[in-house]
């Protein structure tokens, strides 16, 4: 049976190359093709001798994600639905922002966390992604963005300026990354060692699996941490995010306090503002209190019924409530930013494209 080269670690690729009677330096060449030049066939590996390409083709293959759907927003945000080998599908979203091009990737097909404001949560968990399927979202999006393979030029991204490179990665798409810990760790290692991303440009977002946050700091030091918080009392958070029943605010905030941060780095707390649920002055004051002593920044994300789906039970906060909420945080010295939904003219909320196409 042919082996999927992307399912192998660097060491395993070297062992495989030795097994088929080739010098180990060939492994380095192949790894470069896979992760730096995004090759999806041995034929593309033009600096390998023809007999080696044939030998590889006989014994191995290179998995790749199938582009099932691509939506491009007027603001330049692009959403991809990628098909996996077994027929499951995951979403990735490419978000241009000033000089950054951030790719938001999935770590699971579906999600078991069932956050009430999330479309993916309502789909349930299908399965964990393998490390190579997580990294492949970067490779496939990178390939799509490379000038030579652009089928439809992206709007709002400079045309004719050569290849367009992804600069930042956030694990904030479908799934809870800390629920698929081992594969996510291997994927992080590939992002850093093979795809060339600096740790400072990678952010992992969690719904709050408290014990694994400490484990993450040990196993993948200096990766940025984002916590999807969304409430300031256990009562409301239990309602919005069932994970809170297992890891209540006290435990979550306590591990955040212990999370080691490099100089000038902060933990990002994501806070979806839901009208009449978690957007009062009291909530803002409680949030200030909760985050006291943590080097934190807060992203306030006004709930958007259009991107989240009409079926959602929540409503948008008023402009005034959002401004007051932000003001309370800022007055307390907490950097707080209002993040308007990107790609509001496409199915840009997590899980939406999958929900439409499943
Ligand atoms: S918000 Fe994240 S953790 Fe919660 S259900 Fe959606 S994908 Fe899962």
């Amino acid at each position: 049976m042919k082996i999927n080269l992307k399912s192998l670690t660097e060491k395993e690729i070297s062992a495989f190359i030795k097994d088929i009677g080739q010098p180990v330096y060939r492994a380095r060449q192949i790894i470069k093709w896979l992760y730096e030049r995004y090759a999806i066939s041995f034929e593309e590996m033009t600096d390998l001798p023809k007999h080696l390409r044939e030998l590889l083709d006989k014994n191995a293959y290179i998995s790749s994600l199938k582009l099932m759907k691509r939506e491009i927003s007027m603001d330049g945000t692009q959403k991809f639905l990628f098909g996996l080998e077994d027929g499951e599908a995951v979403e990735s979203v490419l978000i241009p922002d000033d000089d950054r091009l951030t790719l938001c990737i999935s770590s699971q097909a579906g999600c078991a966390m069932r956050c009430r404001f999330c479309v993916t949560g309502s789909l349930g968990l299908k399965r964990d992604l393998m490390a190579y399927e997580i990294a492949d979202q970067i490779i496939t999006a990178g390939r799509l963005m490379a000038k030579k393979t652009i089928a439809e030029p992206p709007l709002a991204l400079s045309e004719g300026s050569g290849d367009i490179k992804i600069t930042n990665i956030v694990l904030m798409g479908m799934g809870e990354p800390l629920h698929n810990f081992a594969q996510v760790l291997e994927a992080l290692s590939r992002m850093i060692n093979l795809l060339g991303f600096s740790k400072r440009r990678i952010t992992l977002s969690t719904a709050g699996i408290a014990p694994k946050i400490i484990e993450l700091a040990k196993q993948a030091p200096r990766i940025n941490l984002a916590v999807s918080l969304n409430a300031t009392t256990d009562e409301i958070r239990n309602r919005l995010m069932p994970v809170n029943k297992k890891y209540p605010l006290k435990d979550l905030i306590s591990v955040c306090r212990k999370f080691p941060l490099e100089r000038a780095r902060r933990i990002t707390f994501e806070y979806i503002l839901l009208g009449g649920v978690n957007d009062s002055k009291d909530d803002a004051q409680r949030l200030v209190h909760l985050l006291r002593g943590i080097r934190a920044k807060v992203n306030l994300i006004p709930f958007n019924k259009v991107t989240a789906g009409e079926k959602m039970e929540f409503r948008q906060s008023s402009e005034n409530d959002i401004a007051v909420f932000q003001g309370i945080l800022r007055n307390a010295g907490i950097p707080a930013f209002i993040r308007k939904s990107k790609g509001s003219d496409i199915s840009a909320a997590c899980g939406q494209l999958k929900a439409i196409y499943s």
Side-chain angles (χ1 to χ4, degrees):
M1 205 171 72
K2 285 189 183 190
I3 194 153
N4 176 8
L5 276 196
K6 283 201 186 142
S7 71
L8 305 181
T9 62
E10 270 182 281
K11 266 194 190 154
E12 288 167 343
I13 292 182
S14 298
F16 167 78
I17 289 298
K18 257 171 91 181
D19 280 354
I20 59 168
Q22 297 297 311
V24 171
Y25 74 88
R26 293 291 187 202
R28 278 256 38 101
Q29 270 178 296
I30 292 166
I31 288 168
K32 243 180 142 109
W33 274 105
L34 295 179
Y35 291 95
E36 290 176 31
R37 301 166 89 168
Y38 306 151
I40 52 170
S41 73
F42 297 118
E43 231 186 328
E44 290 174 53
M45 302 182 179
T46 45
D47 58 358
L48 300 185
K50 193 156 184 284
H51 74 86
L52 175 53
R53 282 186 266 154
E54 284 167 1
L55 185 63
L56 286 168
D57 206 29
K58 233 168 76 187
N59 293 286
Y61 73 100
I62 304 167
S63 67
S64 59
L65 302 178
K66 186 169 161 227
L67 180 63
M68 293 169 70
K69 179 82 188 161
R70 180 184 193 179
E71 291 185 355
I72 305 178
S73 158
M74 291 309 290
D75 65 16
T77 302
Q78 296 197 43
K79 185 149 188 168
F80 307 106
L81 183 67
F82 290 131
L84 308 174
E85 280 181 298
D86 63 353
E88 289 300 338
V90 293
E91 295 174 2
S92 312
V93 184
L94 196 57
I95 308 153
D97 195 7
D98 297 330
D99 56 344
R100 283 190 304 186
L101 184 59
T102 301
L103 185 70
C104 174
I105 58 174
S106 299
S107 55
Q108 296 179 306
C111 185
M113 306 302 283
R114 300 204 173 271
C115 302
R116 288 270 289 279
F117 45 79
C118 171
V119 180
T120 303
S122 68
L123 301 173
L125 177 65
K126 300 289 193 277
R127 71 168 172 85
D128 287 338
L129 296 192
M130 300 300 291
Y132 69 86
E133 293 170 318
I134 300 171
D136 251 356
Q137 295 166 63
I138 306 168
I139 292 172
T140 312
R143 205 176 152 90
L144 285 164
M145 298 310 294
K147 199 181 170 197
K148 58 181 183 298
T149 57
I150 286 178
E152 327 157 50
L155 301 174
L157 289 172
S158 55
E159 287 179 35
S161 59
D163 284 0
I164 297 161
K165 287 232 157 42
I166 296 162
T167 60
N168 292 61
I169 300 294
V170 292
L171 286 111
M172 207 181 271
M174 300 170 87
E176 164 54 60
L178 299 184
H179 254 182
N180 185 17
F181 198 56
Q183 295 299 320
V184 164
L185 283 183
E186 171 61 22
L188 287 171
S189 148
R190 290 183 192 201
M191 285 174 217
I192 296 157
N193 300 318
L194 304 181
L195 288 161
F197 286 92
S198 129
K199 291 177 180 180
R200 293 184 142 244
R201 290 185 175 267
I202 302 173
T203 301
L204 182 146
S205 173
T206 176
I209 316 289
K212 288 282 192 230
I213 290 177
I214 291 300
E215 202 51 30
L216 177 73
K218 284 190 197 143
Q219 307 267 352
R222 300 198 297 282
I223 295 290
N224 297 306
L225 177 69
V227 175
S228 180
L229 192 64
N230 309 311
T232 57
T233 65
D234 281 326
E235 193 200 337
I236 304 281
R237 200 162 191 271
N238 285 347
R239 189 146 72 82
L240 297 177
M241 304 179 73
V243 64
N244 195 70
K245 292 178 191 155
K246 194 157 183 199
Y247 306 112
L249 277 170
K250 184 168 62 67
D251 297 356
L252 176 58
I253 295 298
S254 151
V255 295
C256 289
R257 279 185 208 292
K258 292 182 200 138
F259 191 80
L261 285 171
E262 286 199 307
R263 223 157 49 86
R265 308 305 284 176
R266 292 173 186 271
I267 298 176
T268 303
F269 289 88
E270 310 283 345
Y271 196 98
I272 299 182
L273 287 162
L274 304 163
V277 176
N278 63 359
D279 64 345
S280 69
K281 284 182 195 168
D282 284 351
D283 284 303
Q285 270 142 9
R286 271 194 299 267
L287 188 51
V288 168
H289 183 72
L290 273 178
L291 299 184
R292 194 157 284 148
I294 299 178
R295 284 221 306 274
K297 82 171 185 190
V298 176
N299 281 341
L300 298 169
I301 307 153
F303 177 75
N304 184 333
K305 214 161 178 106
V306 178
T307 54
E310 282 302 320
K311 276 190 251 157
M312 286 269 168
E313 69 208 81
F314 304 108
R315 69 171 168 81
Q316 201 157 330
S317 303
S318 72
E319 295 273 323
N320 184 57
D321 286 349
I322 295 170
V324 170
F325 200 104
Q326 183 188 30
I328 292 172
L329 297 183
R330 287 196 162 173
N331 285 341
I334 299 172
F337 306 92
I338 297 168
R339 303 284 189 212
K340 289 264 158 65
S341 296
K342 287 271 191 174
S344 53
D345 54 330
I346 59 172
S347 331
C350 166
Q352 236 185 354
L353 204 57
K354 173 74 170 70
I356 293 167
Y357 284 87
S358 55

